[in-house]
Amino acid sequence: MSDALPTIWFILIAVLWLGYLFLEGFDLGVGTLLKGFAKNEQERRLLINTIGPVWDGNEVWLLTAGGATFAAFPLWYASLFSALYLPLTLALVALILRAIAIEYRGKGHTDRWRAGWTWCMSAGSAVAAFCVGAMLALTTTGMPLNERGDNVGGPFAWVNAYAIIGGLGVLGFCILHGLLFLTLKTDGDVRHRAARIAGSWGPLLLLPLVAWAVIIVVRSGHWWGWVLLLIAAGAAAYSWIAIRGGREKAAFLAESGFLVAGVAAIFSSVYPVVMPSTLDPQFSLTVGGASSSAYTLTVMLIVAIVFVPLVILYQSWSYRVFAQRLSVEHIPAAHVIPKAVRSAAHS
């Protein structure tokens, strides 16, 4: 059983990243769409309200994935976070800007104030999605690591074609995921426009993510990777057909199936390597060599078995509570609270 524990935790970490991309994916997509897609202030407020009750809970999956990597695979965590320090910092700054924008955008009453925070939220969402995709791509394609797992390629060794493909892949998926989420969460012109754009641009938005998965499967040579890729391609095609036919829920579920099959293809193809070295394959970190002790993994597994289902149940309940559609008619006109009332409220 102790030999199987590192593999079990590798699968669990893949599931955590899958949960993050699925839940936070439409958050980041909706945030990115705040500029360019929304036509006016009412529509921008509508988009923010669609993710308002759930966005901060969705970010927990990122923290859990990072924490699980630290505890289960400390050597993987050390190499990953030191070699990719710059994109990680950019992602964190972008997520902070996005969170502040959500909270502060409605605190001011001028167009300039709202426009500034709108840019922060849109750019922050896009940059965060790109950086997460770049980092995940590099964990599957490799970095110049020496025999100690240290990056010897300099601070910008992460800037390469694989990082760009992975970054564009996750960004494109998030935008499409956000569009399909809006078809389920909104009504009126926003809903129909989101469906129309998803039906027109869906295949192009998914193309970089497909390219990343194909690169990994070709490099690994495992037959099951091709099977999973075929499943992912079928799900993507069905999602595109469904949204063009007005079947919005089916399109969202099929696109989610594309994500599951695609992530499974990528992670299963790189196993047992968790951080490849481009200098020498012998320097690559593996599941067995980078893991914690059997005792640590056992205790963590018990905790995960107890609490992960509870988190999933709670989040499922929260999504059910806030499942109703929203439209611009539900967004009240912006108004300024009189200074006398604000003063009385703080006294």
Side-chain angles (χ1 to χ4, degrees), residues 229-251:
L229 274 184
L230 287 175
I231 295 173
Y238 181 78
S239 175
W240 183 59
I241 294 171
I243 195 61
R244 290 174 68 88
R247 301 190 302 276
E248 298 159 343
K249 186 175 182 179

Side-chain angles (χ1 to χ4, degrees), residues 8-346:
I8 292 173
W9 268 103
F10 177 78
I11 295 172
L12 288 176
I13 289 174
V15 170
L16 290 173
W17 278 111
L18 177 63
Y20 175 74
L21 292 174
F22 175 73
L23 294 173
E24 185 78 347
F26 62 74
D27 278 359
L28 295 174
V30 171
T32 303
L33 292 168
L34 213 60
K35 291 296 295 184
F37 175 81
K39 292 182 176 180
N40 51 49
E41 176 60 20
Q42 265 194 312
E43 289 192 357
R44 283 187 280 272
R45 291 174 61 195
L46 173 62
L47 263 60
I48 294 173
N49 274 269
T50 61
I51 63 173
V54 296
W55 70 270
D56 49 353
N58 293 342
E59 286 191 348
V60 172
W61 288 84
L62 176 62
L63 301 176
T64 306
T69 304
F70 169 75
F73 300 99
L75 295 181
W76 181 15
Y77 178 92
S79 293
L80 174 66
F81 280 67
S82 60
L84 301 177
Y85 187 81
L86 285 180
L88 175 65
T89 302
L90 286 174
L92 290 177
V93 171
L95 288 172
I96 290 170
L97 272 178
R98 172 175 168 267
I100 295 174
I102 292 174
E103 298 295 339
Y104 275 75
R105 189 179 180 279
K107 305 300 182 183
H109 306 291
T110 65
D111 291 339
R112 184 176 180 181
W113 173 274
R114 285 189 290 265
W117 288 117
T118 297
W119 273 110
C120 286
M121 185 174 176
S122 184
S125 299
V127 170
F130 181 88
C131 289
V132 167
M135 289 188 290
L136 287 177
L138 290 170
T139 63
T140 59
T141 56
M143 291 282 291
L145 305 178
N146 62 17
E147 66 278 7
R148 295 186 300 274
D150 296 328
N151 171 38
V152 295
F156 295 100
W158 63 276
V159 182
N160 58 36
Y162 295 128
I164 294 173
I165 292 173
L168 292 177
V170 171
L171 177 58
F173 169 80
C174 288
I175 293 174
L176 179 59
H177 205 41
L179 288 168
L180 293 178
F181 175 76
L182 290 176
T183 67
L184 299 178
K185 190 67 177 142
T186 64
D187 212 345
D189 183 58
V190 170
R191 172 187 179 184
H192 301 308
R193 198 162 71 249
R196 186 169 61 253
I197 295 174
S200 300
W201 295 93
L204 184 62
L205 290 170
L206 292 182
L207 188 59
L209 190 56
V210 172
W212 171 22
V214 169
I215 290 170
I216 299 303
V217 172
V218 168
R219 291 177 58 170
S220 71
H222 298 315
W223 62 267
W224 59 80
W226 289 108
V227 174
L228 290 168
L229 274 184
L230 287 175
I231 295 173
Y238 181 78
S239 175
W240 183 59
I241 294 171
I243 195 61
R244 290 174 68 88
R247 301 190 302 276
E248 298 159 343
K249 186 175 182 179
F252 183 83
L253 292 176
E255 189 236 13
S256 302
F258 161 82
L259 176 67
V260 173
V263 169
I266 291 171
F267 274 85
S268 65
S269 294
V270 299
Y271 177 86
V273 176
V274 294
M275 193 68 182
S277 172
T278 56
L279 299 179
D280 189 330
Q282 294 183 352
F283 298 160
S284 300
L285 298 178
T286 62
V287 166
S291 66
S292 295
S293 66
Y295 173 77
T296 300
L297 297 179
T298 301
V299 172
M300 288 175 59
L301 184 60
I302 294 172
V303 173
I305 291 173
V306 173
F307 288 102
V308 170
L310 293 177
V311 172
I312 294 175
L313 285 173
Y314 168 75
Q315 285 204 295
S316 299
W317 173 81
S318 66
Y319 277 95
R320 184 178 180 84
V321 169
F322 297 104
Q324 66 274 15
R325 289 184 181 273
L326 299 175
S327 66
V328 291
E329 286 74 21
H330 294 113
I331 307 299
H335 59 280
V336 179
I337 300 176
K339 185 176 180 180
V341 175
R342 295 201 303 269
S343 301
H346 291 291

